[in-house]
Amino acid sequence: MESMAKKKPRPRRSFTPGFKTEIVELCRRGDRSVGQVAKDFDLTETAVRLWVAQAETDAGEREALTSSERAELAALRRENRRLREDVEVLKRATAFFATETR
């Protein structure tokens, strides 16, 4: 029985917004499928489809959060988490000083 060799996972890559825009434009032209564009540039088809969907959203062609709305939401969530942590620290400090004054 042959042992199956485990594939090493592909390292996570990041791409510039300009590169993503070029890939989306290639897909929108219609002369090649999304799968073919992904294969030609050694990308995953899922990533390319997500880039195309986000570009459609940003252009107002699809109902979803735009890139700027996503960025704002992420920033607000970070701020909310920090403020919750600050409130917890203040609650502990209040409880500590309340027991000290008795």
Side-chain angles (χ1 to χ4, degrees):
M1 189 183 251
E2 294 179 28
S3 65
M4 293 184 66
K6 288 191 175 190
K7 281 188 175 180
K8 199 171 194 180
R10 174 185 259 181
R12 186 168 182 89
R13 301 180 293 173
S14 61
F15 303 97
T16 63
F19 178 77
K20 291 178 183 181
T21 302
E22 288 178 33
I23 297 297
V24 168
E25 289 305 316
L26 286 172
C27 294
R28 285 187 169 182
R29 277 191 215 147
D31 53 336
R32 290 190 280 182
S33 68
V34 171
Q36 188 60 46
V37 171
K39 184 185 263 187
D40 291 347
F41 288 89
D42 191 30
L43 302 167
T44 62
E45 193 171 333
T46 303
V48 175
R49 288 190 187 284
L50 288 172
W51 296 347
V52 170
Q54 188 62 51
E56 290 172 354
T57 299
D58 291 345
E61 301 167 7
R62 181 186 283 231
E63 275 295 313
L65 292 177
T66 64
S67 295
S68 61
E69 290 171 332
R70 284 181 186 279
E72 181 182 11
L73 181 59
L76 289 171
R77 285 180 174 165
R78 278 192 302 274
E79 182 182 8
N80 194 8
R81 183 174 49 247
R82 185 186 57 78
L83 291 172
R84 287 177 191 265
E85 291 169 356
D86 290 350
V87 167
E88 283 302 314
V89 168
L90 291 173
K91 282 182 184 178
R92 285 191 228 123
T94 303
F96 174 78
F97 288 117
T99 58
E100 287 290 314
T101 57
R102 290 183 189 178

